[in-house]
């Protein structure tokens, strides 16, 4: 008897624009457990979410069509992030109310550049008897990520949506329900403030009166110079997030996850010849290189061998953060620069706050180990060929 009472507020949460992705995912899974909930009840949400998929895609196309500025990086990442998150949620709807097997194929094919995999996903989707959930999903698989004209054509035909100019896009962006799109639009718009004129300042003033998300308010404070910046010297929180997005260890994470990690990182300078740590040290921090270079040096008796040279975007010390073991090599700075440091305590707190982050990190580390194994096998084969 509780199912009927729970369905209405759960559907309301699922269709609320300001609800977080996590709130919508949990509402979706809760609805899947209730008796009497029918697939057709999700069509309103399904079509609304698909419309948002195309809206964010067209916003991204408009940004790419404009003259780029450095400050566009966060908005571009936010639009891609929002686009993929909504697609992920729609795949969950497929899994719950149509077929888990088809959903897995669709998810793997949505962002794959291999035409055969996309074709397999398309074929699986077309095999479903319930066309209500597939009719508007098919064009996404048919139009690859790089085929912008297909996206424009489908958006115009199915949704009567067209690509807007960059300046109206930014004014619309600061009113979006996705907080990271808003923050990205603030940064991009401020870089073009001279072109936007009074309309831009008025939009920011209105936003300052209504914004509730801490991230948006922080971006407004920085832009309007209401208070001084409270971010770490030389690298703001959003700059740190963008840096993490370029690091393989974190590149697949959402902006929300990157924000959680960036909030826990501390910056430290390094100078030429400085030992970040020595072999045998009992230290367990993870390091990310923002600028500068280091060498990883291993001692074999009295002889030292450089086993790796790392630069901006690389990371090291990752195994110690998972294992209670001493350092296995020296790491010495060869070019001065800046490091970002994550302590084991902060890492554990991050995992408790968002366990999904650990999966993304382990996946990246697994890929890194496979790459090292492949390189070692290549070196072994090259050595064997040389000895023949």
């Amino acid at each position: 008897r509780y199912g009927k009472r729970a369905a209405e507020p759960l559907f309301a949460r699922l269709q609320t624009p300001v609800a977080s992705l996590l709130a919508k995912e949990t509402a979706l899974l809760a609805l899947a457990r209730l008796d009497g909930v029918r697939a057709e009840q999700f069509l309103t949400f399904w079509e609304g979410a698909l419309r948002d998929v195309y809206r964010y895609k067209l916003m991204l196309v408009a940004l790419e069509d404009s003259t780029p500025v450095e400050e566009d990086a966060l908005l571009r990442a936010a639009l891609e992030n929002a686009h993929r998150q909504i697609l992920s949620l729609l795949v969950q709807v497929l899994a719950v109310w149509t077929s888990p097997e088809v959903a897995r194929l669709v998810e793997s094919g949505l962002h794959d550049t291999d035409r055969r995999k996309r074709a397999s996903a398309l074929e699986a989707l077309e095999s479903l008897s319930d066309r209500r959930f597939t009719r508007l999903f098919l064009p996404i698989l048919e139009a690859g990520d790089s085929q912008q004209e297909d996206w424009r054509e489908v958006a115009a035909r199915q949704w009567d949506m067209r690509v807007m100019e960059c300046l109206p896009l930014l004014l619309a962006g600061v009113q979006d329900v996705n907080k990271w799109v808003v923050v990205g639009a603030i940064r991009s718009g401020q870089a073009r403030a001279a072109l936007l004129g009074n309309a831009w300042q008025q939009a920011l003033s209105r936003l300052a009166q209504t914004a509730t998300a801490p991230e948006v308010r922080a971006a407004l404070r920085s832009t309007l110079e209401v208070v001084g910046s409270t971010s770490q010297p030389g690298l703001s929180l959003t700059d740190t997030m963008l840096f993490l997005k370029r690091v393989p260890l974190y590149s697949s994470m959402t902006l929300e996850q990157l924000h959680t990690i960036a909030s826990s990182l501390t910056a430290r300078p390094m100078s030429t010849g400085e030992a970040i740590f020595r072999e045998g040290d009992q230290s367990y921090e993870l390091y990310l290189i923002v600028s500068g270079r280091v060498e990883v040096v291993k001692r074999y008796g009295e002889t030292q061998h450089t086993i790796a040279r790392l630069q901006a975007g690389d990371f090291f010390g990752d195994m110690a953060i998972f294992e209670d073991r001493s350092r296995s090599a020296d790491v010495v700075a060869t070019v001065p620069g800046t490091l970002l440091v994550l302590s084991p305590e902060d890492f554990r707190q991050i995992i408790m706050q968002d366990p999904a982050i650990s999966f993304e990190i382990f996946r990246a580390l697994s890929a890194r180990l496979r790459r090292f194994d492949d390189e070692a096998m290549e070196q072994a084969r090259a050595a064997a060929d040389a000895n023949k």
Side-chain angles (χ1 to χ4, degrees):
R1 65 182 184 274
Y2 298 106
K4 291 182 179 179
R5 294 168 56 187
E8 185 176 348
L10 286 172
F11 270 113
R13 175 56 59 91
L14 190 63
Q15 298 184 56
T16 300
V18 295
S20 68
L21 182 69
L22 180 60
K24 292 186 177 184
E25 286 179 345
T26 51
L28 177 66
L29 295 175
L31 284 165
R33 291 177 172 269
L34 296 180
D35 292 334
V37 175
R38 302 181 307 278
E40 54 267 22
Q41 293 176 262
F42 289 85
L43 286 178
T44 301
F45 162 73
W46 179 263
E47 294 190 359
L50 273 172
R51 183 180 178 85
D52 284 339
V53 167
Y54 281 90
R55 180 168 62 85
Y56 285 127
K57 184 66 176 181
L58 292 185
M59 290 174 73
L60 187 59
V61 170
L63 194 63
E64 292 171 351
D65 285 349
S66 67
T67 302
V69 297
E70 186 177 347
E71 288 80 2
D72 287 342
L74 183 63
L75 179 55
R76 188 176 294 108
L79 292 171
E80 291 173 348
N81 186 74
H83 171 258
R84 287 176 176 252
Q85 280 189 309
I86 297 173
L87 283 179
S88 176
L89 191 60
L90 292 176
V91 167
Q92 291 190 45
V93 177
L94 275 180
V96 172
W97 273 278
T98 57
S99 164
E101 293 76 15
V102 169
R104 281 193 292 270
L105 280 171
V106 170
E107 188 170 30
S108 64
L110 279 172
H111 308 295
D112 204 301
T113 56
D114 188 326
R115 288 183 176 274
R116 290 174 299 178
K117 290 184 179 179
R118 296 180 74 90
S120 296
L122 187 61
E123 183 180 353
L125 197 60
E126 289 178 323
S127 70
L128 293 175
S129 58
D130 193 343
R131 299 284 294 177
R132 293 167 297 181
F133 285 102
T134 63
R135 180 174 57 86
L136 299 175
F137 218 150
L138 291 174
I140 299 177
L141 280 170
E142 292 171 344
D145 285 346
S146 61
Q147 297 170 326
Q148 294 181 358
E149 292 304 322
D150 289 341
W151 282 93
R152 297 180 200 223
E153 180 185 342
V154 175
R157 184 178 68 251
Q158 302 250 15
W159 306 103
D160 196 25
M161 297 170 60
R162 289 167 178 80
V163 178
M164 64 179 70
E165 296 295 327
C166 183
L167 300 185
L169 158 70
L170 296 174
L171 291 172
V174 296
Q175 303 176 45
D176 201 86
V177 296
N178 185 300
K179 65 182 178 183
W180 295 115
V181 172
V182 176
V183 173
I186 291 172
R187 288 168 61 100
S188 293
Q190 193 61 21
R192 299 177 173 89
L195 296 174
L196 290 166
N198 291 334
W200 178 246
Q201 297 305 321
Q202 292 171 5
L204 291 185
S205 297
R206 287 194 298 270
L207 183 60
Q209 299 298 318
T210 59
T212 57
E215 297 83 1
V216 174
R217 299 191 68 82
L220 285 169
R221 284 198 301 270
S222 176
T223 300
L224 300 174
E225 298 181 346
V226 175
V227 296
S229 174
T230 57
S231 59
Q232 58 190 13
L235 204 64
S236 70
L237 190 61
T238 49
D239 288 334
T240 302
M241 292 167 58
L242 288 172
F243 169 76
L244 292 177
K245 193 69 175 174
R246 297 191 294 269
V247 176
L249 186 61
Y250 302 109
S251 60
S252 63
M253 294 186 187
T254 67
L255 289 180
E256 196 66 43
Q257 292 171 329
L258 294 178
H259 181 265
T260 299
I261 295 171
S263 301
S264 300
L265 294 172
T266 56
R268 61 155 285 186
M270 62 177 180
S271 55
T272 303
E274 176 187 356
I276 311 304
F277 53 73
R278 295 287 187 186
E279 183 176 350
D281 283 355
Q282 299 293 322
S283 62
Y284 308 101
E285 292 79 13
L286 168 69
Y287 296 87
L288 299 156
I289 306 175
V290 178
S291 60
R293 296 179 183 177
V294 304
E295 287 186 350
V296 182
V297 180
K298 180 72 175 176
R299 300 194 202 103
Y300 297 96
E302 298 298 321
T303 307
Q304 292 186 347
H305 293 280
T306 299
I307 58 177
R309 291 181 173 86
L310 306 176
Q311 57 188 352
D314 291 328
F315 57 93
F316 59 91
D318 43 292
M319 297 313 297
I321 207 166
F322 301 110
E323 299 178 332
D324 187 17
R325 297 174 61 181
S326 58
R327 299 292 188 180
S328 59
D330 298 350
V331 175
V332 181
T334 57
V335 175
T338 301
L339 300 171
L340 290 174
V341 187
L342 179 64
S343 71
E345 295 76 16
D346 286 333
F347 177 74
R348 283 191 287 270
Q349 187 63 36
I350 288 170
I351 297 305
M352 290 176 64
Q353 184 174 340
D354 187 349
I357 289 177
S358 62
F359 174 78
E360 297 296 338
I361 290 177
F362 293 147
R363 184 166 63 176
L365 290 176
S366 176
R368 190 189 198 200
L369 289 174
R370 283 197 303 272
R371 188 174 69 253
F372 287 162
D373 286 344
D374 291 342
E375 291 173 356
M377 290 180 65
E378 285 294 328
Q379 292 174 1
R381 280 196 290 266
D385 292 341
N387 292 330
K388 287 183 180 178

